[in-house]
Amino acid sequence: MPINKFKSAILIFIISITTITEIKAQEINFNKDNWSHITASYLVDLNLDGNEMAGKMSIRMRKDSIIWFSISASIGIQIAKGIINKDSLFFLDLYNRHYYAQGIKDIPIAIPQADSGIYALRFIQGIFTGSIANGGQFNYENSFGKANITYDSASNSFPPPNFYVKVEGKSPEKAQNGLNNIRLDAQLKTVRFDAIPSYPFSVSADYERK
């Protein structure tokens, strides 16, 4: 999969996850794990509609507050980074010098608008911490698509050392032409829990908004 398609697949994956989640506080115990900050790195394999590519992903998270991420191709070139909070999603395409910005409440998440931001953020954080899993699995389906998230059930480590996410979800590119089929396999390489001093992110004036 070319680098540009790898970047596009990551963006589609993020949009798909945020558009297919319907989360209610009583359904998922987001507070079962005692953490405040997580810095982690992963090896990732991504498959988008049969096209495959390997890469690396780094994340920084403050609980119920922010997710910062950086994505590099396997050859070591940083191709994308982004930031998600309860209000907005920003995704920087470093390869093509584009950026994507979206208010969380403007994404068609099928939950009450007053709650959508914090629950979408908690859900994405819960993918990495495993708090959404019930017996090593999380499954969801609605009119926007469906997802299956599976964890290594043989391990009780925190965060989970290995997981994969399968998504069939609508994206802007295929809104009229069916679903994207995406699989992301993630293998945890390093993790730290100390306080994170900063989440550096800015959009240069010469970047074009998409």
Side-chain angles (χ1 to χ4, degrees), residues 131-172:
S131 64
I132 65 170
N134 181 10
Q137 294 270 339
F138 177 87
N139 295 283
Y140 190 73
E141 182 173 1
N142 70 6
S143 59
F144 295 104
K146 59 184 178 180
N148 167 256
I149 303 171
T150 302
Y151 296 88
D152 181 356
S153 58
S155 174
N156 293 318
S157 300
F158 177 82
N162 301 288
F163 65 89
Y164 71 82
V165 184
K166 292 174 65 177
V167 172
E168 294 180 17
K170 296 179 181 178
S171 68

mmCIF file of all heavy atoms in Angstrom, residues 131-172:
data_model
loop_
_atom_site.group_PDB
_atom_site.id
_atom_site.type_symbol
_atom_site.label_atom_id
_atom_site.label_comp_id
_atom_site.label_asym_id
_atom_site.label_seq_id
_atom_site.Cartn_x
_atom_site.Cartn_y
_atom_site.Cartn_z
ATOM 1 N N SER A 131 -10.679 -1.056 28.161
ATOM 2 C CA SER A 131 -11.829 -0.891 29.050
ATOM 3 C C SER A 131 -13.162 -1.146 28.349
ATOM 4 O O SER A 131 -14.182 -1.341 29.002
ATOM 5 C CB SER A 131 -11.831 0.514 29.670
ATOM 6 O OG SER A 131 -11.999 1.511 28.686
ATOM 7 N N ILE A 132 -13.155 -1.161 27.013
ATOM 8 C CA ILE A 132 -14.404 -1.424 26.299
ATOM 9 C C ILE A 132 -14.661 -2.918 26.138
ATOM 10 O O ILE A 132 -15.741 -3.316 25.696
ATOM 11 C CB ILE A 132 -14.397 -0.762 24.908
ATOM 12 C CG1 ILE A 132 -13.323 -1.394 24.014
ATOM 13 C CG2 ILE A 132 -14.226 0.736 25.018
ATOM 14 C CD1 ILE A 132 -13.420 -0.976 22.576
ATOM 15 N N ALA A 133 -13.664 -3.747 26.482
ATOM 16 C CA ALA A 133 -13.772 -5.178 26.188
ATOM 17 C C ALA A 133 -14.605 -5.899 27.239
ATOM 18 O O ALA A 133 -14.540 -5.596 28.425
ATOM 19 C CB ALA A 133 -12.385 -5.809 26.121
ATOM 20 N N ASN A 134 -15.367 -6.857 26.775
ATOM 21 C CA ASN A 134 -16.122 -7.748 27.654
ATOM 22 C C ASN A 134 -15.769 -9.171 27.239
ATOM 23 O O ASN A 134 -16.206 -9.645 26.193
ATOM 24 C CB ASN A 134 -17.620 -7.490 27.523
ATOM 25 C CG ASN A 134 -18.441 -8.378 28.442
ATOM 26 O OD1 ASN A 134 -17.893 -9.055 29.314
ATOM 27 N ND2 ASN A 134 -19.742 -8.384 28.256
ATOM 28 N N GLY A 135 -14.929 -9.829 28.031
ATOM 29 C CA GLY A 135 -14.466 -11.145 27.644
ATOM 30 C C GLY A 135 -13.517 -11.122 26.468
ATOM 31 O O GLY A 135 -13.459 -12.067 25.681
ATOM 32 N N GLY A 136 -12.763 -10.024 26.345
ATOM 33 C CA GLY A 136 -11.797 -9.913 25.263
ATOM 34 C C GLY A 136 -12.355 -9.452 23.945
ATOM 35 O O GLY A 136 -11.638 -9.400 22.942
ATOM 36 N N GLN A 137 -13.648 -9.065 23.915
ATOM 37 C CA GLN A 137 -14.280 -8.672 22.661
ATOM 38 C C GLN A 137 -15.113 -7.404 22.851
ATOM 39 O O GLN A 137 -15.622 -7.131 23.935
ATOM 40 C CB GLN A 137 -15.225 -9.782 22.173
ATOM 41 C CG GLN A 137 -14.559 -11.062 21.772
ATOM 42 C CD GLN A 137 -14.176 -11.072 20.296
ATOM 43 O OE1 GLN A 137 -14.728 -10.329 19.491
ATOM 44 N NE2 GLN A 137 -13.233 -11.922 19.943
ATOM 45 N N PHE A 138 -15.235 -6.640 21.788
ATOM 46 C CA PHE A 138 -16.235 -5.580 21.725
ATOM 47 C C PHE A 138 -16.833 -5.621 20.324
ATOM 48 O O PHE A 138 -16.110 -5.620 19.331
ATOM 49 C CB PHE A 138 -15.641 -4.199 21.980
ATOM 50 C CG PHE A 138 -16.656 -3.080 21.837
ATOM 51 C CD1 PHE A 138 -17.431 -2.702 22.913
ATOM 52 C CD2 PHE A 138 -16.851 -2.447 20.616
ATOM 53 C CE1 PHE A 138 -18.388 -1.689 22.786
ATOM 54 C CE2 PHE A 138 -17.796 -1.438 20.483
ATOM 55 C CZ PHE A 138 -18.567 -1.060 21.574
ATOM 56 N N ASN A 139 -18.138 -5.681 20.235
ATOM 57 C CA ASN A 139 -18.819 -5.698 18.952
ATOM 58 C C ASN A 139 -19.905 -4.635 18.945
ATOM 59 O O ASN A 139 -20.608 -4.441 19.938
ATOM 60 C CB ASN A 139 -19.465 -7.068 18.685
ATOM 61 C CG ASN A 139 -18.431 -8.156 18.535
ATOM 62 O OD1 ASN A 139 -17.782 -8.276 17.504
ATOM 63 N ND2 ASN A 139 -18.263 -8.950 19.583
ATOM 64 N N TYR A 140 -20.034 -3.971 17.800
ATOM 65 C CA TYR A 140 -21.095 -2.979 17.692
ATOM 66 C C TYR A 140 -21.520 -2.846 16.241
ATOM 67 O O TYR A 140 -20.709 -2.956 15.330
ATOM 68 C CB TYR A 140 -20.673 -1.604 18.215
ATOM 69 C CG TYR A 140 -21.872 -0.694 18.303
ATOM 70 C CD1 TYR A 140 -22.815 -0.880 19.302
ATOM 71 C CD2 TYR A 140 -22.121 0.255 17.333
ATOM 72 C CE1 TYR A 140 -23.957 -0.115 19.349
ATOM 73 C CE2 TYR A 140 -23.269 1.014 17.373
ATOM 74 C CZ TYR A 140 -24.183 0.826 18.380
ATOM 75 O OH TYR A 140 -25.307 1.571 18.409
ATOM 76 N N GLU A 141 -22.798 -2.582 16.037
ATOM 77 C CA GLU A 141 -23.322 -2.389 14.691
ATOM 78 C C GLU A 141 -24.481 -1.418 14.745
ATOM 79 O O GLU A 141 -25.336 -1.505 15.617
ATOM 80 C CB GLU A 141 -23.775 -3.722 14.086
ATOM 81 C CG GLU A 141 -24.295 -3.593 12.662
ATOM 82 C CD GLU A 141 -24.579 -4.943 12.015
ATOM 83 O OE1 GLU A 141 -24.380 -5.975 12.690
ATOM 84 O OE2 GLU A 141 -24.991 -4.942 10.845
ATOM 85 N N ASN A 142 -24.490 -0.460 13.812
ATOM 86 C CA ASN A 142 -25.653 0.392 13.608
ATOM 87 C C ASN A 142 -25.681 0.840 12.158
ATOM 88 O O ASN A 142 -24.998 0.248 11.316
ATOM 89 C CB ASN A 142 -25.673 1.581 14.597
ATOM 90 C CG ASN A 142 -24.591 2.609 14.305
ATOM 91 O OD1 ASN A 142 -23.886 2.526 13.306
ATOM 92 N ND2 ASN A 142 -24.454 3.566 15.192
ATOM 93 N N SER A 143 -26.443 1.849 11.845
ATOM 94 C CA SER A 143 -26.639 2.229 10.449
ATOM 95 C C SER A 143 -25.376 2.790 9.802
ATOM 96 O O SER A 143 -25.285 2.877 8.579
ATOM 97 C CB SER A 143 -27.762 3.270 10.352
ATOM 98 O OG SER A 143 -27.460 4.422 11.112
ATOM 99 N N PHE A 144 -24.380 3.180 10.609
ATOM 100 C CA PHE A 144 -23.153 3.738 10.059
ATOM 101 C C PHE A 144 -22.112 2.672 9.756
ATOM 102 O O PHE A 144 -21.135 2.932 9.078
ATOM 103 C CB PHE A 144 -22.555 4.770 11.024
ATOM 104 C CG PHE A 144 -23.427 5.975 11.206
ATOM 105 C CD1 PHE A 144 -24.167 6.131 12.359
ATOM 106 C CD2 PHE A 144 -23.511 6.944 10.229
ATOM 107 C CE1 PHE A 144 -24.984 7.236 12.536
ATOM 108 C CE2 PHE A 144 -24.325 8.045 10.390
ATOM 109 C CZ PHE A 144 -25.066 8.199 11.552
ATOM 110 N N GLY A 145 -22.294 1.482 10.297
ATOM 111 C CA GLY A 145 -21.313 0.440 10.068
ATOM 112 C C GLY A 145 -21.255 -0.502 11.247
ATOM 113 O O GLY A 145 -22.145 -0.533 12.094
ATOM 114 N N LYS A 146 -20.180 -1.306 11.289
ATOM 115 C CA LYS A 146 -20.016 -2.235 12.399
ATOM 116 C C LYS A 146 -18.539 -2.404 12.715
ATOM 117 O O LYS A 146 -17.668 -2.188 11.866
ATOM 118 C CB LYS A 146 -20.662 -3.576 12.093
ATOM 119 C CG LYS A 146 -20.124 -4.291 10.871
ATOM 120 C CD LYS A 146 -20.915 -5.582 10.621
ATOM 121 C CE LYS A 146 -20.440 -6.318 9.381
ATOM 122 N NZ LYS A 146 -21.217 -7.560 9.143
ATOM 123 N N ALA A 147 -18.275 -2.796 13.962
ATOM 124 C CA ALA A 147 -16.895 -2.956 14.409
ATOM 125 C C ALA A 147 -16.770 -4.194 15.270
ATOM 126 O O ALA A 147 -17.693 -4.584 15.987
ATOM 127 C CB ALA A 147 -16.456 -1.726 15.211
ATOM 128 N N ASN A 148 -15.605 -4.812 15.194
ATOM 129 C CA ASN A 148 -15.233 -5.894 16.096
ATOM 130 C C ASN A 148 -13.833 -5.606 16.602
ATOM 131 O O ASN A 148 -12.909 -5.398 15.803
ATOM 132 C CB ASN A 148 -15.257 -7.253 15.381
ATOM 133 C CG ASN A 148 -14.573 -8.343 16.207
ATOM 134 O OD1 ASN A 148 -13.444 -8.730 15.908
ATOM 135 N ND2 ASN A 148 -15.247 -8.807 17.243
ATOM 136 N N ILE A 149 -13.665 -5.563 17.909
ATOM 137 C CA ILE A 149 -12.367 -5.316 18.516
ATOM 138 C C ILE A 149 -12.043 -6.513 19.395
ATOM 139 O O ILE A 149 -12.828 -6.874 20.270
ATOM 140 C CB ILE A 149 -12.369 -4.012 19.340
ATOM 141 C CG1 ILE A 149 -12.794 -2.839 18.443
ATOM 142 C CG2 ILE A 149 -10.992 -3.750 19.946
ATOM 143 C CD1 ILE A 149 -13.030 -1.546 19.181
ATOM 144 N N THR A 150 -10.906 -7.145 19.145
ATOM 145 C CA THR A 150 -10.524 -8.366 19.841
ATOM 146 C C THR A 150 -9.171 -8.187 20.496
ATOM 147 O O THR A 150 -8.227 -7.695 19.863
ATOM 148 C CB THR A 150 -10.478 -9.561 18.862
ATOM 149 O OG1 THR A 150 -11.750 -9.712 18.237
ATOM 150 C CG2 THR A 150 -10.125 -10.851 19.595
ATOM 151 N N TYR A 151 -9.079 -8.612 21.764
ATOM 152 C CA TYR A 151 -7.846 -8.492 22.546
ATOM 153 C C TYR A 151 -7.257 -9.868 22.806
ATOM 154 O O TYR A 151 -7.940 -10.890 22.736
ATOM 155 C CB TYR A 151 -8.137 -7.790 23.872
ATOM 156 C CG TYR A 151 -8.604 -6.371 23.699
ATOM 157 C CD1 TYR A 151 -9.954 -6.087 23.521
ATOM 158 C CD2 TYR A 151 -7.705 -5.324 23.671
ATOM 159 C CE1 TYR A 151 -10.388 -4.783 23.329
ATOM 160 C CE2 TYR A 151 -8.125 -4.020 23.481
ATOM 161 C CZ TYR A 151 -9.473 -3.758 23.315
ATOM 162 O OH TYR A 151 -9.897 -2.469 23.116
ATOM 163 N N ASP A 152 -5.962 -9.874 23.143
ATOM 164 C CA ASP A 152 -5.276 -11.107 23.520
ATOM 165 C C ASP A 152 -5.826 -11.562 24.865
ATOM 166 O O ASP A 152 -5.461 -11.037 25.917
ATOM 167 C CB ASP A 152 -3.771 -10.847 23.609
ATOM 168 C CG ASP A 152 -2.974 -12.091 23.972
ATOM 169 O OD1 ASP A 152 -3.601 -13.133 24.234
ATOM 170 O OD2 ASP A 152 -1.739 -12.011 23.988
ATOM 171 N N SER A 153 -6.722 -12.537 24.832
ATOM 172 C CA SER A 153 -7.413 -12.953 26.052
ATOM 173 C C SER A 153 -6.502 -13.702 27.018
ATOM 174 O O SER A 153 -6.860 -13.915 28.177
ATOM 175 C CB SER A 153 -8.622 -13.835 25.701
ATOM 176 O OG SER A 153 -8.199 -14.970 24.968
ATOM 177 N N ALA A 154 -5.317 -14.100 26.540
ATOM 178 C CA ALA A 154 -4.391 -14.832 27.412
ATOM 179 C C ALA A 154 -3.600 -13.910 28.327
ATOM 180 O O ALA A 154 -2.889 -14.371 29.217
ATOM 181 C CB ALA A 154 -3.424 -15.667 26.570
ATOM 182 N N SER A 155 -3.709 -12.620 28.125
ATOM 183 C CA SER A 155 -2.919 -11.671 28.904
ATOM 184 C C SER A 155 -3.820 -10.752 29.712
ATOM 185 O O SER A 155 -4.851 -10.297 29.237
ATOM 186 C CB SER A 155 -2.039 -10.826 27.973
ATOM 187 O OG SER A 155 -1.378 -9.822 28.696
ATOM 188 N N ASN A 156 -3.414 -10.489 30.944
ATOM 189 C CA ASN A 156 -4.115 -9.526 31.790
ATOM 190 C C ASN A 156 -3.329 -8.232 31.932
ATOM 191 O O ASN A 156 -3.577 -7.445 32.834
ATOM 192 C CB ASN A 156 -4.369 -10.135 33.173
ATOM 193 C CG ASN A 156 -5.355 -11.285 33.117
ATOM 194 O OD1 ASN A 156 -6.363 -11.202 32.419
ATOM 195 N ND2 ASN A 156 -5.063 -12.357 33.845
ATOM 196 N N SER A 157 -2.353 -8.029 31.055
ATOM 197 C CA SER A 157 -1.502 -6.841 31.141
ATOM 198 C C SER A 157 -2.308 -5.585 30.840
ATOM 199 O O SER A 157 -3.314 -5.614 30.137
ATOM 200 C CB SER A 157 -0.337 -6.955 30.156
ATOM 201 O OG SER A 157 0.455 -8.081 30.421
ATOM 202 N N PHE A 158 -1.847 -4.482 31.394
ATOM 203 C CA PHE A 158 -2.465 -3.187 31.129
ATOM 204 C C PHE A 158 -1.374 -2.220 30.664
ATOM 205 O O PHE A 158 -0.369 -2.061 31.338
ATOM 206 C CB PHE A 158 -3.141 -2.638 32.391
ATOM 207 C CG PHE A 158 -3.731 -1.260 32.184
ATOM 208 C CD1 PHE A 158 -4.974 -1.119 31.602
ATOM 209 C CD2 PHE A 158 -3.027 -0.126 32.536
ATOM 210 C CE1 PHE A 158 -5.508 0.144 31.388
ATOM 211 C CE2 PHE A 158 -3.551 1.133 32.322
ATOM 212 C CZ PHE A 158 -4.797 1.268 31.754
ATOM 213 N N PRO A 159 -1.584 -1.590 29.497
ATOM 214 C CA PRO A 159 -2.656 -1.812 28.527
ATOM 215 C C PRO A 159 -2.501 -3.174 27.838
ATOM 216 O O PRO A 159 -1.453 -3.801 27.957
ATOM 217 C CB PRO A 159 -2.450 -0.664 27.520
ATOM 218 C CG PRO A 159 -1.463 0.252 28.103
ATOM 219 C CD PRO A 159 -0.657 -0.536 29.073
ATOM 220 N N PRO A 160 -3.520 -3.619 27.100
ATOM 221 C CA PRO A 160 -3.413 -4.902 26.403
ATOM 222 C C PRO A 160 -2.228 -4.911 25.443
ATOM 223 O O PRO A 160 -1.996 -3.936 24.728
ATOM 224 C CB PRO A 160 -4.737 -4.990 25.633
ATOM 225 C CG PRO A 160 -5.664 -4.086 26.361
ATOM 226 C CD PRO A 160 -4.824 -2.970 26.884
ATOM 227 N N PRO A 161 -1.459 -6.008 25.404
ATOM 228 C CA PRO A 161 -0.257 -6.038 24.559
ATOM 229 C C PRO A 161 -0.549 -6.171 23.071
ATOM 230 O O PRO A 161 0.244 -5.741 22.241
ATOM 231 C CB PRO A 161 0.506 -7.264 25.077
ATOM 232 C CG PRO A 161 -0.568 -8.144 25.634
ATOM 233 C CD PRO A 161 -1.589 -7.223 26.212
ATOM 234 N N ASN A 162 -1.666 -6.780 22.733
ATOM 235 C CA ASN A 162 -2.022 -6.984 21.327
ATOM 236 C C ASN A 162 -3.532 -6.874 21.170
ATOM 237 O O ASN A 162 -4.284 -7.350 22.018
ATOM 238 C CB ASN A 162 -1.590 -8.371 20.841
ATOM 239 C CG ASN A 162 -0.099 -8.601 20.965
ATOM 240 O OD1 ASN A 162 0.689 -8.043 20.217
ATOM 241 N ND2 ASN A 162 0.281 -9.432 21.929
ATOM 242 N N PHE A 163 -3.957 -6.218 20.111
ATOM 243 C CA PHE A 163 -5.379 -6.208 19.780
ATOM 244 C C PHE A 163 -5.535 -5.931 18.302
ATOM 245 O O PHE A 163 -4.610 -5.443 17.634
ATOM 246 C CB PHE A 163 -6.151 -5.174 20.600
ATOM 247 C CG PHE A 163 -5.779 -3.734 20.332
ATOM 248 C CD1 PHE A 163 -6.428 -3.006 19.341
ATOM 249 C CD2 PHE A 163 -4.808 -3.095 21.081
ATOM 250 C CE1 PHE A 163 -6.107 -1.675 19.092
ATOM 251 C CE2 PHE A 163 -4.474 -1.764 20.847
ATOM 252 C CZ PHE A 163 -5.129 -1.061 19.849
ATOM 253 N N TYR A 164 -6.701 -6.286 17.770
ATOM 254 C CA TYR A 164 -6.988 -5.884 16.404
ATOM 255 C C TYR A 164 -8.404 -5.327 16.335
ATOM 256 O O TYR A 164 -9.276 -5.668 17.124
ATOM 257 C CB TYR A 164 -6.773 -7.019 15.397
ATOM 258 C CG TYR A 164 -7.765 -8.154 15.435
ATOM 259 C CD1 TYR A 164 -9.004 -8.069 14.790
ATOM 260 C CD2 TYR A 164 -7.449 -9.344 16.081
ATOM 261 C CE1 TYR A 164 -9.900 -9.119 14.799
ATOM 262 C CE2 TYR A 164 -8.330 -10.410 16.094
ATOM 263 C CZ TYR A 164 -9.557 -10.293 15.452
ATOM 264 O OH TYR A 164 -10.443 -11.336 15.469
ATOM 265 N N VAL A 165 -8.584 -4.433 15.375
ATOM 266 C CA VAL A 165 -9.871 -3.774 15.168
ATOM 267 C C VAL A 165 -10.291 -4.015 13.727
ATOM 268 O O VAL A 165 -9.534 -3.748 12.788
ATOM 269 C CB VAL A 165 -9.772 -2.250 15.414
ATOM 270 C CG1 VAL A 165 -11.145 -1.600 15.289
ATOM 271 C CG2 VAL A 165 -9.138 -1.950 16.757
ATOM 272 N N LYS A 166 -11.481 -4.552 13.553
ATOM 273 C CA LYS A 166 -12.063 -4.718 12.217
ATOM 274 C C LYS A 166 -13.257 -3.779 12.106
ATOM 275 O O LYS A 166 -14.147 -3.796 12.952
ATOM 276 C CB LYS A 166 -12.495 -6.167 11.990
ATOM 277 C CG LYS A 166 -11.349 -7.158 11.906
ATOM 278 C CD LYS A 166 -11.871 -8.585 11.821
ATOM 279 C CE LYS A 166 -12.645 -8.814 10.532
ATOM 280 N NZ LYS A 166 -13.100 -10.233 10.405
ATOM 281 N N VAL A 167 -13.254 -2.965 11.077
ATOM 282 C CA VAL A 167 -14.316 -1.981 10.888
ATOM 283 C C VAL A 167 -14.873 -2.106 9.475
ATOM 284 O O VAL A 167 -14.122 -2.206 8.512
ATOM 285 C CB VAL A 167 -13.788 -0.547 11.112
ATOM 286 C CG1 VAL A 167 -14.851 0.484 10.715
ATOM 287 C CG2 VAL A 167 -13.363 -0.329 12.548
ATOM 288 N N GLU A 168 -16.175 -2.112 9.378
ATOM 289 C CA GLU A 168 -16.848 -1.881 8.106
ATOM 290 C C GLU A 168 -17.650 -0.603 8.305
ATOM 291 O O GLU A 168 -18.664 -0.606 8.995
ATOM 292 C CB GLU A 168 -17.774 -3.045 7.739
ATOM 293 C CG GLU A 168 -17.043 -4.342 7.465
ATOM 294 C CD GLU A 168 -17.996 -5.463 7.109
ATOM 295 O OE1 GLU A 168 -19.152 -5.168 6.763
ATOM 296 O OE2 GLU A 168 -17.581 -6.627 7.188
ATOM 297 N N GLY A 169 -17.148 0.481 7.760
ATOM 298 C CA GLY A 169 -17.781 1.760 8.031
ATOM 299 C C GLY A 169 -17.809 2.664 6.828
ATOM 300 O O GLY A 169 -16.965 2.575 5.931
ATOM 301 N N LYS A 170 -18.760 3.567 6.803
ATOM 302 C CA LYS A 170 -18.886 4.521 5.715
ATOM 303 C C LYS A 170 -17.862 5.637 5.898
ATOM 304 O O LYS A 170 -17.629 6.120 6.994
ATOM 305 C CB LYS A 170 -20.292 5.118 5.690
ATOM 306 C CG LYS A 170 -21.378 4.085 5.400
ATOM 307 C CD LYS A 170 -22.759 4.728 5.411
ATOM 308 C CE LYS A 170 -23.835 3.687 5.148
ATOM 309 N NZ LYS A 170 -25.193 4.267 5.192
ATOM 310 N N SER A 171 -17.256 6.052 4.814
ATOM 311 C CA SER A 171 -16.335 7.181 4.823
ATOM 312 C C SER A 171 -16.817 8.205 3.801
ATOM 313 O O SER A 171 -17.638 7.887 2.943
ATOM 314 C CB SER A 171 -14.925 6.718 4.451
ATOM 315 O OG SER A 171 -14.885 6.309 3.097
ATOM 316 N N PRO A 172 -16.310 9.439 3.860
ATOM 317 C CA PRO A 172 -16.746 10.430 2.871
ATOM 318 C C PRO A 172 -16.512 9.970 1.433
ATOM 319 O O PRO A 172 -17.321 10.219 0.547
ATOM 320 C CB PRO A 172 -15.877 11.648 3.212
ATOM 321 C CG PRO A 172 -15.584 11.496 4.662
ATOM 322 C CD PRO A 172 -15.441 10.013 4.880
#
